[in-house]
Each structure stands twice: as structure tokens, then as C-alpha cells.
Amino acid sequence: MKVGLSIPGLLQTEETFAFARQMGVTHVVAHIVGGKPGMTLDDALRGPGFPTFADDERYSLDGLLRLKSQVNDAGMELFAIENFEAADWYDVLLDGPKRDEQMVRVKQIVRDVGAAGISTMGYNFSIAGVWGRPMLPIGRGGALSSTYDSTVETPIPKGMVWNCVYDTELYERSVATNDFIDPISSDQLWDRYTRFLREIAPVADEAGVVMALHPDDPPLAELRGTPRLIHRGALYDRMLGIVDSPVNAMEFCVGTLSEMPDQDIYEIVEHFVATGRIRYVHLRNVLGRVPQYNETFLDDGYVDMQRILRILRDGGFDGVVIPDHTPFVSTSSPWHTGMAWALGWIRASLRAIDALDG
Ligand SMILES: [Mn+2]
């Protein structure tokens, strides 16, 4: 297996790439959304949602090639781009009037990702996105850790999708008048997704790009009044069946899958590794399951992560594993420290598994 790191847009700088290589990372996942280099975290979090930029130059062929050469110069491979900008495809998610126009943009991004020689496009197909997870000092030693809190759940004002405000005027008007996005059924969401997937798959195939879908975090059947697509492991089977091709694959988030109730995480990993369609793995541990859980360090949750790595290896998975989110530790650089710890833990675990069985 290869050890990778997901680097958010805010941190896509020469310094972070050097940090990643120093930690032994060989494969980079560029999580472009959520901010740009030069912005501070405070800048990024100042608005009512995460920042989102329509037609962002970073998704152009030139932008992708520049990013790739930065990563290559640091001695690593740019393995994947993670997520489309909400501002680029909100009407694909909402089935709005700009849906077809926005699909043209999404297809161009996938073509450009392929043309830049990047093999994988990770994405979420989610209206509510990742939400309702305050950071509290409940991790080991008081580390700030995400927990799900259903009491803060509110419906989504129009103008927002996936925690991003794509139309500020509409959003402000909607907040003032309690105007929320139209309710839909789970079947309607699956119809939207099916239409999207059948349209994007041939484009991805031609571009040499694998589309990798992340499950819904937190994995509830409904969140903020909207249905969720992948909130149980078995729903990945449904998704894989819609387009039965290697271009339709999973961004396999062990953390999110471990939050799901009524299923055995080890059986889930065993089942899906056998499909050969785990494109890459997000590794994270958790205590509890929805609606009551919190994220933990890799060695501090209810899941035996080394057993997960063994199941993946024994199932023939030889792809990229990245740390998912980690608790924020008490240093002046909580993200770097948390990732450094997780990367070291994963590298040592992979080595130990091979040595013990070897
Ligand atoms: Mn994840």
C-alpha cells in the first residue's frame, strides 16, 4: 500500500508539500475546495459557509499542471483531486435550471484532470455535506475532536449547498424569510445521482480518470431535511451497480463507514475490497456510531485499524491510504502535528503487518 496525504486548498504551498514528503508521503490528494493558499483559516471560516469559487483557475488544465509540477518537484505523485466546487455544480446536486450548463463545466474538469495525468477524481454527491460536527476537547488528553450533535440541526437556506454559499444574495434573503431548499425523497436523490454518474462515466473513461465517491458523513438517512446517498455500506453496492465499470469506484472512508450503525466494519471492508473497486482509503477511527459518536486518533477508537489494514492487504488492495481528519492536538500547528502522528502510525502499522505475517 502507498501512504498518501490529503492537502486542503488553503495549505497547498511549497512548505506543506515539503512537510508531506518529509513524513514519508509518496502520493498527494489535492483537496482543492475550502480556501486558497494565502487565506488564513479565519478568512476561510469568516462567512456563513465554507468559501467556494466558481470557475476557479486551479481546476483549469494550466492550474492542474502547475499543481502537479509543484507536487512532483517535492518528490511525490499527484494521485487525486478531491471534490468539485459547490459553486460549479450546485444545480447538478439540486437539479436546478443550470444543471446542464454546470455538467459541461464538470465534464471539462474531469477531462482536464485526465489531461494533466492525474488518475483519480474524488467527490461527494451530497446536499447537506459534512455538517453538525462541533470540535470539542473530548479526544485523548483533551484533544479537540469532532462529534456529531443532532441538536444543532437546522434546515438549509436556499443559496447554500454542501456547507457553501454559492449565491450570497439568495442566501441572505432565504435566511431572513426562512426559505429552505425544497424537500426531496431518497429516490429523487438517487435519480439525480444516477443521471450524473451515467453522464460522467464515459467522459471519465475517455479521460483515463477514475471517479471515486465518498460516503455521507455523518451517515444519517437524512440530514438538515435532505436525504443522504451512502449512509450504509450496502448502498455502495447499489452505487457500483449503476455503472458497472472500474471508472465508477469508491473513495472508501473507513471513518464514516465505522460511524454507521447495524453493520460490522470488518465485514464491510472485506466485502468491498473483494470488488476491486476501492480506489483509495481514508483511514480514521471513531468511538460510537450515529447518532452518538466522536472522531478519535487511529489507535483510540472502537475499530482495530491494523486489522482493517490487514483485511485490505489480504484482499489485494495495493492502492493509496491517507489519514482522514485527525483530532487537533495542543501545538501551534495542530493540523501538521495530527497528520504527522497519523502518517507515522500508518507507516509503522503497514510495516508491522508485513513483518508479523512475513
Ligand atoms: Mn473521509
Side-chain angles (χ1 to χ4, degrees), residues 253-274:
C253 184
V254 175
T256 305
L257 290 159
S258 301
E259 294 159 12
M260 297 177 184
D262 315 320
Q263 62 180 33
D264 180 304
I265 185 63
Y266 308 107
E267 282 172 14
I268 290 286
V269 177
E270 210 170 312
H271 171 76
F272 285 107
V273 76

Side-chain angles (χ1 to χ4, degrees), residues 84 99 109 139 162 177 191 209 225 275:
F84 300 109
R99 192 250 171 219
I109 290 171
W162 208 59
T177 57
D191 285 348
V209 173
T275 66

Side-chain angles (χ1 to χ4, degrees), residues 214 253 256 282 284 324-325:
H214 192 281
C253 184
T256 305
H282 285 190
R284 169 166 55 83
D324 204 38
H325 347 113

Side-chain angles (χ1 to χ4, degrees), residues 177-210:
T177 57
N178 282 334
D179 190 12
F180 304 116
I181 64 171
D182 300 329
I184 56 163
S185 67
S186 170
D187 284 344
Q188 277 172 296
L189 181 67
W190 277 95
D191 285 348
R192 286 178 196 180
Y193 178 64
T194 301
R195 195 172 158 211
F196 163 76
L197 188 60
R198 289 196 176 134
E199 225 176 299
I200 203 70
V203 176
D205 200 12
E206 204 181 305
V209 173
V210 174

Side-chain angles (χ1 to χ4, degrees), residues 331-344:
T331 69
S332 55
S333 195
W335 182 85
H336 292 80
T337 315
M339 288 302 165
W341 184 88
L343 288 163

